[in-house]
Amino acid sequence: MVLLENERIVLESLDARHAEALLAYHDRNRAHLEPWEPARDPDFYELAYHRETIRISLANAAIGASERFVAVERATAQIVANVNLWNIRRGVVQAAVLGYSVDALAQGHGYATTCARAVVDHAFGTLGLHRIETSYNPINAASARVLRKIGFTVEGYARDYLFIDGAWRDAILVGLVNPDPTILA
Ligand SMILES: CC(C)(COP(=O)(O)OP(=O)(O)OC[C@H]1O[C@@H](n2cnc3c(N)ncnc32)[C@H](O)[C@@H]1OP(=O)(O)O)[C@@H](O)C(=O)NCCC(=O)NCCS
């Protein structure tokens, strides 16, 4: 599924075709992403790992549990951004959690804002969700700015919220409610 196309990137569902490019993305962005993402398994930087996580991602998408998207740069065919919608919950909650990252060399072009906004629109439109949640480390000013530009508002402060880069890190909790809410039957 293609969520967004412009002259520079195509934002599309992650699938088996992306395995090599996904590995290359994580390999060249180790130092860039380590401070913000969970510790990686020893085999994370191997192609088989990404083939398997893509297989699991597709199975999770098929049951409506999560969706993963990648932004592929037209000029280079490289993945320049990842956006995930995970922990999709239905029932009276109708919510999901948003996650994203952008290649170190592709920052500052608005990719995070453009791609995360497209995924939020998809979540509220096609998926009919009511609410998107996420969080960011208080020192992550760029992520705070991205979320603010999309319209997220601060809902709380969680101490020792996520175990990232070898320690429990505080987080600012943010949320965004569908401006066109679905009325549940
Ligand atoms: C956070 C991240 C996704 C931003 O990606 P990006 O494509 O550069 O983001 P955008 O270009 O869409 O927007 C970034 C905004 O933050 C601003 N910004 C960047 N660095 C900043 C800083 N140190 N302080 C304040 N604002 C900053 C930019 O100026 C821009 O705002 P503007 O459009 O008003 O000028 C990227 O840096 C990244 O992948 N970081 C590591 C992983 C991560 O943090 N993931 C999110 C975890 S919650």
Side-chain angles (χ1 to χ4, degrees), residues 25 32-37 80-82 98-104 106-115 134-137 139-147 149:
Y25 174 89
H32 171 55
L33 297 179
E34 251 170 33
W36 314 110
E37 296 199 341
V80 290
N82 277 268
L98 179 73
Y100 49 81
S101 69
V102 167
D103 190 298
Q107 292 178 104
H109 295 299
Y111 288 160
T113 308
T114 307
C115 295
T134 191
S135 65
Y136 60 89
N137 187 310
I139 64 168
N140 194 342
S143 193
R145 179 75 188 127
V146 167
L147 293 165
K149 283 192 288 181

Side-chain angles (χ1 to χ4, degrees), residues 23 53 157:
L23 171 63
T53 56
Y157 188 96

